[in-house]
Amino acid sequence: MKLIEIYIHEVTRRLPEQNREDIALELRSTIEDMLPDDYDEKEVKAVLAKLGNPAILASEYRDQPMYLIGPRYFDLYVTLLKMIIPIAVVVSLIALVADYLIGYSGDKTVADIVTAVISTGIGTFLEVGIQVFFWITVVFAIIERADKGKEGHPLTTKLRKWTPDDLKDIALVHKKKAITSFEVFGSLLWTAIWATVYFNAEHLIRVYRGGEGALNFVAPAFNQHVLLDYWPIILIVIGLEVALTIYKLIKRQWTRELALCNTVLELIVLIVFAVILINPSVFNQEFINYMSNLLNTTANQFETGLVGGGIAILILVAVLNIYEGFRKARL
């Protein structure tokens, strides 16, 4: 019957040419086995409806999936997109602001700079977002096709097929103890921001004074070469923060062990940045002199207050974060 031939053609035309003839014979035999001896058009339609859409049936005969990212990797793919794209965009925007500050010659007003940053930032936002989306998608598409021999079940965090035994590793999470994806993303974003600022402090943290509608550069707040002397320790701190964030992602709730890890990290951060702040050469002397004159105080008093205030803020933030961790762990 003509309907059968059309159906077989619709299936096989979507398949590699070298396989079409064999699959056509197999499919025709399957359809004939499903039909009675003296069949009519109504019975043919019923059998074809049972076999389903030719495009879907063709995909079952193909060695390669007809989708770009399948269910096995889709959840992991979306999770990475949600996490990486915002971080990449923020870091690129920070770099954009740094570039404007580095190249600033004092001939533009604040409004001109803000307008330029916003207009350029929108383009940067779209470009970086599209680039990250494209490359992550390409990587997962390649993995999807390279993994064609594996079962198509969604992967768990252990990178294997889900089984009921996985439920034993999951505890019922109190809503107030839960670590949300937003919290994980926020931790990574904060690490990216302060690390970018630290390694570009000379250009990002600067003092300007107004004059004739434009800003005149005075001095950077920090001596960059002094900050870079501590780069091995800073990289360790960044690594520890990322490791703790990954641990949060795995645990998905605050526990006593996680609160203890958080406490250790907060103390390390406090000690490291306190040591950097008390270094007498960390602040640019021109910045100290300008700010002390502006505030009508001595350079020594201003620097002492700046260091003391910075350490006090570090202590306050550390105490609040430690308290919050243990509070959530006890709920």
Side-chain angles (χ1 to χ4, degrees):
M1 183 175 281
K2 189 175 180 181
L3 283 179
I4 296 175
E5 296 303 321
I6 294 174
Y7 185 87
I8 293 173
H9 176 265
E10 282 296 293
V11 173
T12 56
R13 75 179 181 83
R14 294 176 167 88
L15 300 173
E17 191 170 350
Q18 64 270 22
N19 300 332
R20 290 178 185 177
E21 187 175 346
D22 292 338
I23 293 175
L25 291 173
E26 178 185 338
L27 186 55
R28 184 177 288 106
S29 175
T30 300
I31 294 173
E32 290 174 352
D33 290 342
M34 297 173 68
L35 289 169
D37 292 335
D38 188 19
Y39 58 84
D40 56 23
E41 184 175 336
K42 183 178 180 181
E43 290 170 324
V44 170
K45 288 182 178 179
V47 169
L48 297 183
K50 187 177 294 185
L51 290 173
N53 190 316
I56 296 176
L57 183 59
S59 69
E60 297 177 3
Y61 283 105
R62 292 176 64 92
D63 292 331
Q64 296 289 348
M66 295 184 69
Y67 43 75
L68 192 61
I69 309 295
R72 179 173 171 82
Y73 294 102
F74 188 76
D75 188 56
L76 180 60
Y77 165 71
V78 172
T79 300
L80 288 178
L81 281 179
K82 290 179 179 179
M83 188 175 297
I84 295 175
I85 287 181
I87 294 175
V89 168
V90 170
V91 171
S92 64
L93 292 179
I94 293 173
L96 175 65
V97 173
D99 184 58
Y100 268 91
L101 292 178
I102 293 171
Y104 182 69
S105 57
D107 57 345
K108 295 182 180 179
T109 64
V110 176
D112 291 336
I113 295 175
V114 172
T115 301
V117 169
I118 291 175
S119 60
T120 308
I122 294 174
T124 301
F125 175 87
L126 293 174
E127 180 182 357
V128 172
I130 292 172
Q131 286 281 347
V132 173
F133 172 79
F134 172 78
W135 287 112
I136 291 179
T137 302
V138 167
V139 169
F140 272 88
I142 293 173
I143 293 173
E144 182 75 51
R145 279 140 187 82
D147 202 27
K148 63 182 180 180
K150 303 291 182 64
E151 294 182 352
H153 300 279
L155 294 181
T156 66
T157 54
K158 297 179 180 179
L159 299 179
R160 58 174 173 78
K161 178 185 172 183
W162 181 89
T163 66
D165 289 333
D166 290 326
L167 295 174
K168 298 177 181 179
D169 300 327
I170 301 175
L172 293 176
V173 180
H174 190 286
K175 184 177 180 180
K176 294 183 178 179
K177 294 180 67 173
I179 298 174
T180 63
S181 298
F182 179 79
E183 184 177 346
V184 173
F185 161 72
S187 298
L188 290 175
L189 182 60
W190 169 243
T191 301
I193 290 174
W194 76 252
T196 303
V197 172
Y198 183 91
F199 287 104
N200 295 276
E202 188 176 22
H203 303 297
L204 293 176
I205 308 177
R206 309 172 114 193
V207 177
Y208 294 86
R209 61 166 173 255
E212 299 180 357
L215 293 175
N216 297 314
F217 170 65
V218 177
F222 294 94
N223 288 317
Q224 189 68 60
H225 68 277
V226 176
L227 293 179
L228 293 179
D229 288 340
Y230 297 92
W231 71 264
I233 301 175
I234 295 300
L235 289 183
I236 291 174
V237 171
I238 293 173
L240 290 174
E241 287 196 357
V242 172
L244 181 63
T245 302
I246 294 174
Y247 188 40
K248 288 180 180 179
L249 184 62
I250 295 172
K251 299 297 289 186
R252 288 293 182 181
Q253 65 173 326
W254 281 95
T255 62
R256 182 176 177 81
E257 293 77 15
L258 181 56
L260 288 172
C261 292
N262 182 63
T263 299
V264 172
L265 178 59
E266 290 294 337
L267 292 176
I268 291 174
V269 171
L270 173 61
I271 293 171
V272 168
F273 283 97
V275 169
I276 294 174
L277 283 176
I278 62 177
N279 186 320
S281 303
V282 71
F283 291 106
N284 186 289
Q285 194 57 47
E286 293 181 37
F287 163 74
I288 297 294
N289 294 336
Y290 175 77
M291 292 302 297
S292 60
N293 290 332
L294 187 66
L295 298 174
N296 196 25
T297 184
T298 65
N300 186 56
Q301 288 176 329
F302 174 75
E303 186 172 7
T304 301
L306 188 62
V307 173
I311 293 176
I313 292 174
L314 288 172
I315 294 174
L316 178 62
V317 171
V319 169
L320 289 176
N321 287 338
I322 292 171
Y323 168 76
E324 190 68 11
F326 279 105
R327 185 186 69 81
K328 290 181 178 180
R330 287 197 301 268
L331 291 175

